[in-house]
Amino acid sequence: MAGSGIAGGIANGTRAARRAGQGLVLAAGLAAGMAAGLGAGPARAQGPVPSQPAPRPDAAPQAAAPAPPGPPRPRAAEPGPAEPVTRAGYFYIGGRYQKLGDKTVMVGQMFVQSRTPARITQPYPVVMVHGLAQTGVNYLATADGRPGWVQRFVEKGYQVYVVDQVGRGRSGTNPEVYGPYDRLGTRSLERTHTAPEVYDLYPQAKLHTRWPEGPGVQGNAAFDQFFASQVPFLANSQQTEEWVDPALVALFDRIGPAILVTHGQAALFGWAASDARPDLVKAHVAVEPNGPPFFDVQFRGGKEFWEKTGDGRARAYGLTRMPLTFDPPVKAPEDLTVAQQAKGSESRPDRAADGRIRCWLQGEPVRTLPNLAKVPAVVVTAEASFHATYDDCTVAFLTQAGARPDVVRLADQGLHGNGHMMMLETNSDAVADVLAGWLAGRVK
């Protein structure tokens, strides 16, 4: 397993980014590089401009150079008071050495990038985990060049950690170990992530308005930047959980209590980490979590706009493919009975009429998830996302199992028109503020 190896021996950096010696101190002279590579954003997050060295006492006075011909040059702005600095760094967590033929390689390691404000004012750091086909880049900046969620949370006094899933991006790819890879094409992303209003495959799709500079299709500059960031991912979804789950748990074991923010696919690992370390996961913000429970669905438009994808369970344990701690215990997936909500009747109109699918929940006997019940959680859903059709099924499954998550619908917060990639859309800062507002009220 990925997390059983030599985390300490492969760490690059110090024991934790929050300690004063970790990472790089970025001054204003590095602002351009930090904005490009670390999503640093406004100059206020950079360090002070170094003053010019004082002249030597024995140096002869220098005559002023004659002004060059032509119009006068604008005068440089006087340096202001010293700005606070942030610290940036990275390390790897998990991993073990493995022999491949005549080579020894490392497998299971996960890249972790850190950003620390000059003064940490929040009691717990935030760990951000990206979704399918993505990397941590999603949180560093938006595709049209604005500061991302990392910057927003750093400005609020949080230390932030951003990961790349095991076997992906800066964590490294290795088909010999991880197996076949897959990747998404432009149309797959346009249909559900960036331009659902163009395809109109589910009732809420036409409400999407928040992608920068119009629909997010090929040729839209922000979409082109977004698509350039896409990477291959492990084709075997269960194997992905087998590698990422222990690495994420190892990260919490290293940094201590923290808040977890997951997006899409990453909720799989978030539920697993909350189940394994309910004492360390102080809150789980599940932004449009992978779902619905048990089965996948696909969208086709029209009145009956969705259908189940295949007969096999996509998530054998409801929320995940890997086992969770149920009470009474579940020895095999077959121990969980599944029942789908009935079609509409006189007392309950068809869910399709209001743009929702019929959920699959536990049948009798219903088992609880006692560890997840210990972790404050919230499911965040955008108005125009395909998740608006089934995130309430995830909430219903958790509630049935005793976890009782909170629900934040962005439209109820006055944020309209968002899709699944809300951290990249035109009101991304306002969405981040909603998440931070929930944390302020729920994390003690």
Side-chain angles (χ1 to χ4, degrees):
M1 295 299 288
S4 61
I6 50 175
I10 65 170
N12 188 348
T14 63
R15 291 296 299 169
R18 71 180 75 181
R19 299 177 184 173
Q22 187 232 11
L24 306 174
V25 177
L26 299 185
L30 297 180
M34 186 171 174
L38 299 172
R44 63 182 176 275
Q46 312 302 317
V49 178
S51 59
Q52 294 297 321
R56 289 167 40 202
D58 58 346
Q62 298 293 318
R73 297 179 180 179
R75 186 175 179 179
E78 294 293 331
E83 296 284 349
V85 298
T86 62
R87 296 192 306 279
Y90 74 94
F91 57 91
Y92 285 82
I93 196 74
R96 58 180 168 83
Y97 287 112
Q98 179 171 317
K99 193 78 171 176
L100 285 181
D102 61 350
K103 298 178 181 177
T104 298
V105 300
M106 183 167 285
V107 300
Q109 72 274 22
M110 186 169 73
F111 175 86
V112 184
Q113 183 171 352
S114 64
R115 281 282 307 282
T116 307
R119 189 167 69 91
I120 298 174
T121 60
Q122 303 294 339
Y124 304 113
V126 173
V127 176
M128 297 184 178
V129 190
H130 62 84
L132 184 70
Q134 314 297 313
T135 69
V137 165
N138 287 155
Y139 297 117
L140 301 181
T142 66
D144 61 337
R146 292 170 289 115
W149 280 7
V150 169
Q151 178 69 23
R152 196 68 172 178
F153 276 83
V154 167
E155 290 174 352
K156 295 178 183 298
Y158 288 97
Q159 183 180 17
V160 181
Y161 296 95
V162 180
V163 312
D164 283 3
Q165 288 182 29
V166 176
R168 197 186 304 183
R170 291 167 292 183
S171 294
T173 57
N174 193 332
E176 293 178 278
V177 175
Y178 302 130
Y181 277 72
D182 197 358
R183 66 184 310 153
L184 298 180
T186 55
R187 178 160 292 193
S188 294
L189 289 167
E190 291 173 355
R191 286 158 62 98
T192 54
H193 286 51
T194 61
E197 69 273 31
V198 173
Y199 294 88
D200 198 22
L201 296 179
Y202 54 91
Q204 298 87 341
K206 58 184 175 291
L207 302 175
H208 187 243
T209 61
R210 286 292 185 176
W211 189 259
E213 301 178 9
V217 297
Q218 293 182 63
N220 172 295
F223 176 83
D224 295 343
Q225 282 290 303
F226 171 62
F227 193 74
S229 74
Q230 306 303 291
V231 297
F233 54 90
L234 276 66
N236 187 315
S237 298
Q238 177 161 330
Q239 197 171 33
T240 302
E241 293 183 51
E242 291 173 354
W243 286 106
V244 179
D245 285 355
L248 188 59
V249 169
L251 176 59
F252 275 83
D253 287 341
R254 173 171 173 168
I255 66 175
I259 293 162
L260 189 54
V261 174
T262 63
H263 178 236
Q265 180 202 28
L268 299 168
F269 325 127
W271 306 128
S274 297
D275 185 60
R277 298 291 186 273
D279 55 327
L280 295 182
V281 180
K282 291 302 179 183
H284 180 192
V285 179
V287 178
E288 304 210 328
N290 187 261
F294 293 111
F295 296 99
D296 282 336
V297 297
Q298 59 187 6
F299 301 103
R300 59 191 182 192
K303 183 178 180 181
E304 298 291 333
F305 62 90
W306 66 278
E307 61 187 2
K308 184 173 71 170
T309 305
D311 293 326
R313 295 186 190 181
R315 285 160 293 280
Y317 294 90
L319 300 175
T320 63
R321 296 169 182 86
M322 297 298 289
L324 296 171
T325 304
F326 285 90
D327 184 26
V330 170
K331 296 180 180 179
E334 294 73 24
D335 291 345
L336 291 174
T337 58
V338 180
Q340 188 179 21
Q341 291 174 318
K343 278 197 170 184
S345 62
E346 292 181 2
S347 60
R348 180 167 50 190
D350 192 350
R351 291 170 60 88
D354 60 1
R356 295 181 295 162
I357 74 165
R358 290 185 293 119
C359 305
W360 293 276
L361 302 174
Q362 288 191 67
E364 296 295 337
V366 172
R367 289 168 163 83
T368 62
L369 290 164
N371 288 350
L372 292 190
K374 299 174 184 177
V375 178
V378 61
V379 173
V380 180
T381 307
E383 179 181 53
S385 172
F386 63 100
H387 275 260
T389 70
Y390 61 68
D391 272 0
D392 70 307
C393 296
T394 301
V395 172
F397 179 90
L398 287 164
T399 301
Q400 184 187 42
R404 302 188 183 279
D406 291 340
V407 174
V408 168
R409 297 181 180 89
L410 295 185
D412 294 342
Q413 306 295 316
L415 301 180
H416 297 280
N418 285 104
H420 185 55
M421 301 307 299
M422 61 189 76
M423 74 287 295
L424 303 180
E425 296 189 317
T426 56
N427 60 347
S428 56
D429 277 355
V431 177
D433 291 346
V434 168
L435 307 189
W438 180 85
L439 288 171
R442 293 288 275 134
V443 178
K444 305 303 181 185

